[in-house]
Amino acid sequence: MTSSHSRPDWLRTHTCGELREANVGQSVVLNGWVDARRDHGGIYFVDLRDRYGITQVTLTPEQSDALPFSTEFVLGVHGKVVQRENPNPDRPTGLIEVRTERIEVLSPSPTPPIDIIDNLDAAVDTRLRYRYLDLRRGPLQRNLIHRSKFIASIRRAFEDQEFIEVETPVLTRATPEGARDYLVPSRVHPGQFYALPQSPQIFKQILMVAGYDRYFQVARCFRDEDLRADRQPEFTQLDMEMSFVHEEDVFAVWEGVMGRAFRENMGLELPQTFPRMRWEEAMDRFGSDKPDTRFGMELVDLAEWVPTCEFRVFQGALEAGGRVMAIRVPGGGSSVSRGQLKSLESAAKDLGAKGLAWWKPGEEGGAAGPVAKFMDGAVGEELLALTAVDGATTDGDLLLFGADAERIVWRVLGDLRLRLARQLDLLPPATGDGAQWNFLWVTHFPMFEFDEAAGRYFSSHHPFTCPEDETLGGDEPDVSKLVSRAYDLVLNGWELGSGSIRIHRQDVQARVFELLGIDASEQQLKFGFLLEALSYGAPPHGGFAVGLDRLVALTLGLDSIRDVVAFPKTTSAADLMCGAPSRVAPDQLAEVHVAPAGKALERDGSA
Amino acid sequence: MTSSHSRPDWLRTHTCGELREANVGQSVVLNGWVDARRDHGGIYFVDLRDRYGITQVTLTPEQSDALPFSTEFVLGVHGKVVQRENPNPDRPTGLIEVRTERIEVLSPSPTPPIDIIDNLDAAVDTRLRYRYLDLRRGPLQRNLIHRSKFIASIRRAFEDQEFIEVETPVLTRATPEGARDYLVPSRVHPGQFYALPQSPQIFKQILMVAGYDRYFQVARCFRDEDLRADRQPEFTQLDMEMSFVHEEDVFAVWEGVMGRAFRENMGLELPQTFPRMRWEEAMDRFGSDKPDTRFGMELVDLAEWVPTCEFRVFQGALEAGGRVMAIRVPGGGSSVSRGQLKSLESAAKDLGAKGLAWWKPGEEGGAAGPVAKFMDGAVGEELLALTAVDGATTDGDLLLFGADAERIVWRVLGDLRLRLARQLDLLPPATGDGAQWNFLWVTHFPMFEFDEAAGRYFSSHHPFTCPEDETLGGDEPDVSKLVSRAYDLVLNGWELGSGSIRIHRQDVQARVFELLGIDASEQQLKFGFLLEALSYGAPPHGGFAVGLDRLVALTLGLDSIRDVVAFPKTTSAADLMCGAPSRVAPDQLAEVHVAPAGKALERDGSA
């Protein structure tokens, strides 16, 4: 009786990606899945697959007949490595094959409901239902391996800069200002609930108050929101915070981190520093706080030109305190059809515009557009000079105008700019040769935003963001004009993450809550412990968080984060594989002192 | 208007742990907390503290008077590095001090409710309530920094062995067999609930079915159990799984991982392989499945000796199918008093023994113990020879006996052995010089354990554990005798983690469920997706998980995991700092289709 376990003889000696010419003549054991099998000239060929590669195995008809198997069976193959007669140069193992001496089935498989192939065309729900088969496919394996290595690089970059990883609670307190929380009823405290964190924001600030100086965490976060295609109810962010810093210190850390992750995983050298741009400049030039700077078609302010033009709509917009701006679409005179202009106008209207003025300076009559008649002579010449890209003026261009309240002009032209870039194929490839990685820091965001529906101001970032002016405009501030020390990191038009220098003074924090309409007693109830913590010697601090699912997807050129998440949920937040959420036994609910209510009762009257 | 931020002049040029003699003469800025201040010979000395160290700062009385501050204020100190007149060799910065030129208060602080000192004697609840102050103390900072670095070493060890980290869901399906789940009501699916994972067990097996071959994850796990002092409702484990392996492969990976983490963080060289011991041997020698092998006092089987002794109780125990065993306490004749024996007997009774027989062979009469009269002559000589430690027999020893059903004898003597080791100070120091790190693999656990209360068998490990005998004893198995391929890693008497080779055959898995009393339809309902996944070519696989909180605490010589968790909860699962759990607004509950019930209503009739 020994406590050691002897090695089973079917255990692999090599992986399916490992054998080379140098191994010829060796006796080996391989374990793997049957990727394909074919019969050719009286020999059976099997492609045996594992995570590391594919190796060709040959069987005699007798061996094959003695042990029936088909694709996705798991085999143990004992054999000898031999030179291949017909080498396959596309495969690292392509110079050899394994001549079977003995074979055994380690696990059988029926025909799988989806094919284990790279270019699968199957319904999303089927893929999610059989996720263990979907995850066997090459692209998903490569994505998840890349994800693991990419995040490992990021983590090491933080560790090597003296950041320490601290794990913050998942069972925590409901977030008063933010998205909807996931709630967890307490068994020990009847009628009370934990909430899953939307981010570790308050905990990381507490860690700064506690003197940890440099914190990071790969943190799971939760938001119970209606999901769009590229959102998940739980997601992973690289969360970090630093003490005794200003904006440039945070930027420098992240530039180093991204540089390392791109170098180690993609062989790319990013610039040592990323451009910085004020929020207002981003809006004015790109109509977006997350500008895609990989192409031009920037917005042009026409305020000085408008008085020379007799088009009343433009003048009216300026008189009403709004803006008039244009984008110039190179070659759009011919590449953008009348039909496309119609759909662009309809998009503009959906975004709040009253219409869409356009001008094709190279065309005549109606084809030149409804506002062409205001562009005669010097007026038009001047406009073409103003909007010229790199000094070049082409007759065949298209000009699109926005004339409205500033927010609407930005929103509409920013959106049309992106639409046209896609339609006209102006974007470089998302990955591989020719891909561009335009990182950009956007800074100086507005402190507050007015929410029309709620009829009050909300924090643009979050209520812990430090204002540029710590007096907050004094006693009678114009809240709409206050600028914050928030910043975003943008990559190719995607917001990768956001952060800010935080408020470290209790009085400033209390004043910000006040401006948000949270009175002293509500502050105590909701944020009492944070205000108290800030009172005990809080260091100036700031931080940042990056959504890792999105970042990893972008580095792979993927649109959807679903292909970089091992077990994603559907847009109705369901896990189709394991069947979550699900009904639970009534006594489980009774233990945590809740009962079904509302719609839960309608559907299940007996509960 | 620039988008770059200029450096505030109070920002540190150096940390408080950085300045040395080589910096003398430099102008520097330090930021930190006032650790202490004292007035000595007309000069004010301030110890300025941050995570990196403490630097002495000097002020003139005028500077000090101009800006009142006390301990835990955050200061910005501008000054010049000078040689110290009275060097402090115990401090890395002890050869220099900073002569203040200008000073500013970055944050004030009232007198904190707990002292920021290493040896704090404060109520646990006060420490948890003001955790941000507690976390400022040196021991906690060192613990959390050690934790971060120790886990980073473990992670790199896995990464360097081709393991990939895959994040598994936190919002998942209730676990049918296990501890109590934390539940999360679904908003989108009324009446349905997610559960927080007790471990990623099923997901990691699914990843093996999906061909990921080597998986690991630093995973948060959740159990809604009544908490003992060293448990937390959420905890962190290093979870891993491998395909195409047997036990020794898993052991070798972990031996490498632990070796690296101990080498990198503690400067200790662990043995290349850890001892292996069968469960039965562990029980027979130590009365425990997690034996502390740092000291002797092993259990000795007296089955062959008992017939020579006329003590009826011993003979009766054997006749009833039980065991008679003893432990011999070196020097216990004098070091264990009559009073201590009484309390040992009471402990034995609490553990199910009917009493505690003992013998002090060096004593006479009543002092020798109630069973001494059965030990006359050769009977006693023989017993002393049997229980002799390393052949040495001392008259001054103490023998304690267990005579009962096997489980009770093991439990009682195993427990007394540990009690006596602590009482008699037989244990080496928990950390530092002289500490021993006795890792041990315990193998060959029983497959099932009978639960008297529930009246049925449960899996000793979990129901996915592979049996040694895949036929499971055939059609009429003696379930109590089946041995599993589960294994534990034990360190100095603590179970660090457990794992097993898993069942990869659907038929074996279904049979194990059946033996557990789970019929086919219940299997489908609860484990349908796992059984289905196993049917599609599942590789043989096995894995392991280690509780990181406990492991980190042990490496620091700490009894409680609370000192290695940044934001621990109380034994009633409450977070005293942020106030979780808490009441939530009724409309938040309505949104997720639950209502307060039971005790929650009694306490809060209006809800």
Side-chain angles (χ1 to χ4, degrees), chain B residues 283-317:
Chain B
M283 299 307 291
D284 260 1
R285 286 177 54 192
F286 301 95
S288 169
D289 58 3
K290 43 182 180 180
D292 189 339
T293 59
R294 290 177 298 168
F295 64 98
M297 290 205 293
E298 293 187 17
L299 280 57
V300 179
D301 183 12
L302 303 181
E304 298 196 1
W305 167 84
V306 164
T308 70
C309 173
E310 292 188 358
F311 188 34
R312 260 311 293 160
V313 171
F314 288 173
Q315 293 170 6

Side-chain angles (χ1 to χ4, degrees), chain A residues 145-468:
Chain A
I145 291 169
H146 170 81
R147 179 190 177 111
S148 173
K149 290 183 191 289
F150 197 88
I151 295 178
S153 285
I154 290 180
R155 193 191 286 279
R156 290 181 188 210
F158 278 105
E159 286 164 1
D160 292 351
Q161 295 185 69
E162 298 234 50
F163 284 81
I164 63 168
E165 186 160 26
V166 180
E167 296 160 68
T168 56
V170 169
L171 291 169
T172 182
R173 187 185 167 93
T175 318
E177 298 271 289
R180 204 183 281 111
D181 286 317
Y182 280 104
L183 297 177
V184 181
S186 163
R187 176 176 57 86
V188 185
H189 305 275
Q192 300 191 23
F193 294 79
Y194 304 95
L196 306 185
Q198 296 182 28
S199 85
Q201 181 62 35
I202 291 187
F203 286 106
K204 69 178 175 175
Q205 293 194 238
I206 290 283
L207 285 170
M208 294 303 104
V209 174
Y212 282 72
D213 206 82
R214 296 187 152 212
Y215 143 92
F216 84 105
Q217 187 183 191
V218 177
R220 200 72 63 86
C221 304
F222 306 85
R223 284 181 202 172
D224 187 8
E225 288 177 333
D226 295 316
L227 304 177
R228 298 181 307 218
D230 62 333
R231 283 238 186 137
Q232 286 286 318
E234 56 183 297
F235 55 96
T236 304
Q237 71 184 29
L238 196 309
D239 192 48
M240 57 84 78
E241 195 80 9
M242 309 166 72
S243 289
F244 304 119
V245 294
H246 75 133
E247 286 84 344
E248 290 293 329
D249 298 306
V250 179
F251 297 172
V253 164
W254 277 96
E255 285 158 355
V257 166
M258 289 292 175
R260 178 164 171 177
F262 272 67
R263 189 180 315 119
E264 290 181 351
N265 296 283
M266 304 169 69
L268 291 175
E269 209 55 51
L270 295 181
Q272 283 218 313
T273 58
F274 304 153
R276 287 102 167 94
M277 190 182 287
R278 279 181 174 250
W279 175 84
E280 213 168 314
E281 180 181 345
M283 299 307 293
D284 259 0
R285 287 178 54 193
F286 302 95
S288 168
D289 58 3
K290 44 182 183 182
D292 189 340
T293 58
R294 290 176 300 168
F295 65 98
M297 289 206 293
E298 294 188 15
L299 280 58
V300 179
D301 183 11
L302 303 183
E304 298 196 2
W305 168 85
V306 164
T308 70
C309 175
E310 291 188 358
F311 187 34
R312 258 313 292 162
V313 169
F314 288 173
Q315 291 169 7
L318 286 195
E319 283 156 17
R323 306 279 300 263
V324 179
M325 306 183 92
I327 57 176
R328 179 159 176 163
V329 186
S334 53
S335 60
V336 181
S337 69
R338 199 65 179 251
Q340 284 173 305
L341 279 166
K342 276 252 174 261
S343 81
L344 291 174
E345 179 169 23
S346 139
K349 284 181 174 170
D350 288 347
L351 293 165
K354 292 173 204 79
L356 178 64
W358 56 271
W359 178 37
K360 287 184 172 180
E363 302 286 332
E364 297 289 334
V371 301
K373 59 178 171 286
F374 302 107
M375 303 299 173
D376 276 349
V379 173
E381 294 295 329
E382 179 61 20
L383 178 61
L384 289 176
L386 269 174
T387 58
V389 181
D390 298 332
T393 46
T394 321
D395 266 359
D397 288 354
L398 163 70
L399 279 87
L400 298 173
F401 300 90
D404 212 317
E406 181 177 65
R407 295 255 162 184
I408 291 176
V409 173
W410 283 339
R411 191 193 301 151
V412 169
L413 292 185
D415 182 86
L416 296 186
R417 179 178 173 269
L418 290 175
R419 269 172 207 271
L420 284 162
R422 281 192 296 268
Q423 283 176 17
L424 303 177
D425 215 12
L426 301 181
L427 291 167
T431 187
D433 285 347
Q436 284 179 39
W437 303 96
N438 284 17
F439 284 92
L440 173 71
W441 291 106
V442 178
T443 66
H444 295 87
F445 277 75
M447 186 81 185
F448 301 107
E449 268 168 32
F450 194 74
D451 184 298
E452 307 278 349
R456 74 168 177 98
Y457 279 95
F458 283 88
S459 299
S460 304
H461 185 46
H462 55 53
F464 317 114
T465 303
C466 194
E468 278 278 315

Side-chain angles (χ1 to χ4, degrees), chain B residues 453-527:
Chain B
R456 72 167 176 99
Y457 278 95
F458 284 86
S459 299
S460 305
H461 185 46
H462 56 53
F464 317 114
T465 303
C466 195
E468 277 280 315
D469 167 14
E470 287 202 344
T471 71
L472 284 155
D475 290 342
E476 297 287 341
D478 179 349
V479 172
S480 71
K481 291 264 187 320
L482 290 173
V483 172
S484 82
R485 295 179 70 182
Y487 35 81
D488 280 1
L489 181 59
V490 173
L491 172 60
N492 295 349
W494 291 91
E495 181 207 310
L496 286 186
S498 57
S500 61
I501 301 299
R502 324 297 182 185
I503 298 167
H504 74 279
R505 281 172 46 187
Q506 190 197 25
D507 58 339
V508 176
Q509 184 66 70
R511 176 74 178 131
V512 165
F513 286 143
E514 209 176 281
L515 292 176
L516 286 168
I518 306 171
D519 68 20
S521 77
E522 201 181 346
Q523 288 179 29
Q524 270 314 309
L525 191 71
K526 291 180 169 177
F527 300 103

Side-chain angles (χ1 to χ4, degrees), chain B residues 532-581:
Chain B
E532 192 171 28
L534 290 180
S535 78
Y536 285 108
H541 61 287
F544 202 67
V546 158
L548 291 176
D549 306 301
R550 170 62 55 205
L551 172 60
V552 169
L554 283 174
T555 61
L556 290 164
L558 297 171
D559 279 338
S560 167
I561 62 170
R562 199 182 279 145
D563 286 338
V564 297
V565 173
F567 300 102
K569 292 191 174 60
T570 64
T571 47
S572 77
D575 181 332
L576 297 183
M577 184 185 73
C578 73

Side-chain angles (χ1 to χ4, degrees), chain B residues 93-249:
Chain B
T93 62
L95 294 180
I96 58 90
E97 62 194 11
V98 172
R99 189 175 296 154
T100 301
E101 285 161 359
R102 189 154 61 84
I103 198 164
E104 57 205 299
V105 170
L106 301 177
S107 279
S109 174
T111 302
I114 61 172
D115 290 330
I116 313 303
I117 53 174
D118 283 11
N119 294 306
L120 177 68
D121 184 21
V124 170
D125 281 7
T126 309
R127 289 180 50 195
L128 292 177
R129 163 92 174 69
Y130 297 98
R131 188 64 170 174
Y132 41 89
L133 297 176
D134 197 26
L135 284 171
R136 266 186 207 167
R137 299 189 306 111
L140 279 174
Q141 293 220 344
R142 289 189 289 274
N143 293 353
L144 289 180
I145 291 169
H146 170 81
R147 179 189 177 112
S148 174
K149 290 183 190 289
F150 197 88
I151 295 176
S153 285
I154 290 180
R155 192 190 288 277
R156 290 180 187 211
F158 278 104
E159 286 164 2
D160 292 350
Q161 294 185 72
E162 298 233 50
F163 283 82
I164 64 166
E165 184 160 27
V166 180
E167 296 161 67
T168 56
V170 169
L171 291 170
T172 181
R173 187 184 166 93
T175 317
E177 297 270 288
R180 202 183 284 110
D181 286 318
Y182 280 103
L183 297 177
V184 181
S186 163
R187 177 177 56 87
V188 185
H189 304 276
Q192 300 191 21
F193 295 79
Y194 304 96
L196 306 185
Q198 296 181 28
S199 85
Q201 182 62 34
I202 291 186
F203 285 105
K204 69 178 177 175
Q205 294 193 237
I206 290 285
L207 285 169
M208 294 303 103
V209 173
Y212 283 71
D213 205 84
R214 295 187 153 211
Y215 144 91
F216 84 104
Q217 185 182 191
V218 176
R220 201 71 64 87
C221 304
F222 305 85
R223 283 182 200 171
D224 187 9
E225 287 178 333
D226 295 315
L227 304 177
R228 297 180 310 216
D230 63 331
R231 285 237 185 136
Q232 286 286 318
E234 56 183 297
F235 55 96
T236 304
Q237 71 184 30
L238 196 307
D239 191 49
M240 55 85 77
E241 196 80 7
M242 310 167 71
S243 289
F244 304 119
V245 293
H246 75 133
E247 286 84 344
E248 291 293 328
D249 298 307

